[in-house]
Amino acid sequence: MARPDLFERIRSLRDARIAQNRLRVRRTVTRRDGITLDIDGHRYANFSGNDYLGLAQQFEIIDALQDGTAREGVGATASPLICGYDISHENLEREVAEWIGYPRGLLFGSGFMANLAVQQALLTEENDVCVQDRLNHASLIDATHLAGCRLRRYPHLDAEGAIRQLKGTPGGAAILATDGVFSMDGDIAPLQALSLAAKVQQALLYVDDAHGVGVLGPDGRGSVAAAGLGPAEVPLLLVPLSKALGSYGAVVLGSEALINHLIETSRPYAYSSALPPALATAALTAVRSARRDEWRRERLKELIGVFREECQRYGIEPLMSDTPIQPLLCGSETEAVALSAAMEREGYLTAAIRPPTVPEGTSRIRITLSALHAPQQVQRMVTVLARCREELPKH
Ligand SMILES: *Cc1c(COP(=O)(O)O)cnc(C)c1O
């Protein structure tokens, strides 16, 4: 029998995406100045990035990157197990672990890689299982496929559902994995209930805190610390450096034994070059700023309050969220794209998020706040949002 033609396949898949208003395109940013971006000759106030604390262009961090590069060059020249592991990597791992309150840290090239690494290294048997919140990040889902073990998903935020899935999959070792703060919804996992579920069902609780670290908890230690938990309840914690820390890479936190196991067996760790050392130096500076600058978190709280108050004034109902991620459901792809485009014409970047990133029928615009926004700017943005919504053609 003839094989399917791959070119024919991708053409028809693309046609289908166009018909569903799901085409994705990149836009080239030609200038970045804090939360102001230039794209295609237009200037925008950015309400779509993940630079929650406003650290991506902070001068101390840029200085650290420049100094580090002057001293150590750019590339690490090798994977960490050969000769790529640098004193700057070691310092970053130690300080992130100390900040969040864990024994050890291990730096990966990215959060996506770290998630792949953790499950592949720990869930080695076919009847092992990873039980996950239905809205977990794609990298956590892909990680289970890569590990080749069983994947079970429970309804969003439903700790009882997690227990049911764990009970229904006896025999193998289990990881219970959840985002700390959900990236497209902005809500927070019920970590205390999940930690009890994991304990009762002898599963290891793994929290991916990409959107919680720096933002939530005492000294910005994230969603686990905010829930009053630590390594005893959450033995493995992922701290991506690419969101609130404005940098790049990710640190997995855990016990001596778990981290050693990852160093010795994880394939994404062994077979990928170490991060540029200067980048680790920059990230370390970002960690120190995030710990120190309580005003950035206070500013965020204020902005979240302003945003939600203004929304209420105009009868706009964003999803329930106490975090800088403030999504507004639109229902159809067409409506989300139209609203995002209308906002753009007014000079605001608010990203339309569509399936498969979010479930069918829950297209939205995802508005994010940053400590760099001014309260008046958030107010104005909501005023414009209300008007753009009014003016949308009704379907
Ligand atoms: C962004 C993100 C990741 C991936 O992190 P990168 O360092 O950008 O690869 C993982 N998990 C969650 C929840 C994220 O939002």
Side-chain angles (χ1 to χ4, degrees):
M1 222 173 70
R3 298 181 191 283
D5 180 343
L6 278 176
F7 293 98
E8 178 54 41
R9 179 190 293 173
I10 65 171
R11 194 170 52 232
S12 75
L13 287 174
R14 186 161 205 264
D15 288 345
R17 285 197 299 276
I18 291 171
Q20 289 179 295
N21 227 327
R22 287 187 188 177
L23 202 61
R24 293 160 183 242
V25 293
R26 299 177 305 171
R27 323 267 311 273
T28 307
V29 176
T30 51
R31 179 173 169 275
R32 293 169 195 275
D33 181 10
I35 39 127
T36 307
L37 297 184
D38 285 5
I39 296 172
D40 294 336
H42 297 283
R43 185 150 297 174
Y44 297 101
N46 188 11
F47 282 90
S48 65
N50 300 317
D51 187 17
Y52 307 121
L53 298 179
L55 293 178
Q57 291 189 320
Q58 199 229 14
F59 70 92
E60 279 178 271
I61 301 168
I62 295 173
D63 274 358
L65 184 63
Q66 286 175 332
D67 287 355
T69 310
R71 261 199 326 273
E72 309 204 67
V74 180
T77 76
S79 71
L81 294 176
I82 305 298
C83 64
Y85 187 55
D86 189 90
I87 182 75
S88 61
H89 299 139
E90 187 183 314
N91 289 338
L92 175 61
E93 288 171 345
R94 186 173 354 88
E95 211 158 311
V96 171
E98 189 241 324
W99 175 32
I100 318 269
Y102 277 71
R104 287 280 302 275
L106 182 63
L107 176 65
F108 282 87
S110 73
F112 204 112
M113 284 213 331
N115 274 338
L116 298 185
V118 164
Q119 291 190 44
Q120 198 184 38
L122 292 174
L123 300 174
T124 50
E125 308 294 322
E126 250 173 63
N127 75 334
D128 288 348
V129 63
C130 190
V131 170
Q132 304 207 21
D133 188 291
R134 186 157 281 289
L135 297 188
N136 271 355
H137 191 263
S139 56
L140 286 166
I141 306 294
D142 289 1
T144 311
H145 294 312
L146 179 64
C149 69
R150 295 179 285 178
L151 169 65
R152 293 288 184 280
R153 301 170 85 175
Y154 56 88
H156 187 44
L157 307 180
D158 182 2
E160 291 295 322
I163 293 180
R164 275 195 299 279
Q165 291 294 6
L166 286 163
K167 275 191 177 154
T169 48
I175 287 181
L176 173 53
T178 183
D179 286 17
V181 172
F182 287 85
S183 53
M184 296 301 138
D185 294 74
D187 49 5
I188 299 169
L191 291 180
Q192 292 198 352
L194 290 173
S195 75
L196 288 176
K199 189 168 172 201
V200 171
Q201 295 299 318
Q202 298 156 325
L204 185 153
L205 180 57
Y206 177 59
V207 174
D208 174 345
D209 210 19
H211 302 274
V213 153
V215 172
L216 299 179
D219 302 325
R221 283 155 55 209
S223 59
V224 171
L229 305 175
E233 298 84 11
V234 183
L236 274 174
L237 173 59
L238 178 68
V239 178
L241 305 166
S242 51
K243 311 281 163 72
L245 292 160
S247 180
Y248 201 71
V251 177
V252 175
L253 299 176
S255 68
E256 185 80 20
L258 281 168
I259 296 301
N260 281 337
H261 179 74
L262 290 178
I263 293 172
E264 289 159 21
T265 67
S266 138
R267 293 166 63 88
Y269 192 68
Y271 302 114
S272 187
S273 299
L275 274 182
L279 202 49
T281 305
L284 178 59
T285 310
V287 164
R288 288 174 181 166
S289 299
R291 289 177 81 163
R292 182 193 61 207
D293 295 349
E294 197 56 38
W295 67 266
R296 295 178 191 273
R297 281 180 284 282
E298 275 161 20
R299 168 54 71 89
L300 270 177
K301 262 196 214 102
E302 180 192 355
L303 296 173
I304 294 165
V306 167
F307 174 80
R308 297 197 68 94
E309 251 168 54
E310 287 300 298
C311 281
Q312 202 171 17
R313 229 156 65 83
Y314 288 106
I316 298 172
E317 290 179 15
L319 294 181
M320 263 325 292
S321 161
D322 296 325
T323 69
I325 303 169
Q326 295 286 338
L328 181 61
L329 283 189
C330 298
S332 78
E333 286 87 335
T334 313
E335 209 171 308
V337 169
L339 185 53
S340 170
M343 289 296 282
E344 247 178 52
R345 285 191 292 275
E346 300 287 339
Y348 296 99
L349 281 184
T350 54
I353 310 284
R354 295 160 287 169
T357 304
V358 292
E360 296 288 334
T362 69
S363 287
R364 64 197 68 186
I365 61 169
R366 175 180 181 265
I367 295 162
T368 55
L369 301 169
S370 161
L372 297 181
H373 289 125
Q376 299 82 347
Q377 188 177 26
V378 172
Q379 256 169 356
R380 275 199 306 276
M381 185 269 292
V382 178
T383 308
V384 171
L385 179 64
R387 195 178 68 236
C388 288
R389 238 168 50 123
E390 275 308 299
E391 291 169 0
L392 273 192
K394 297 283 174 272
H395 298 283

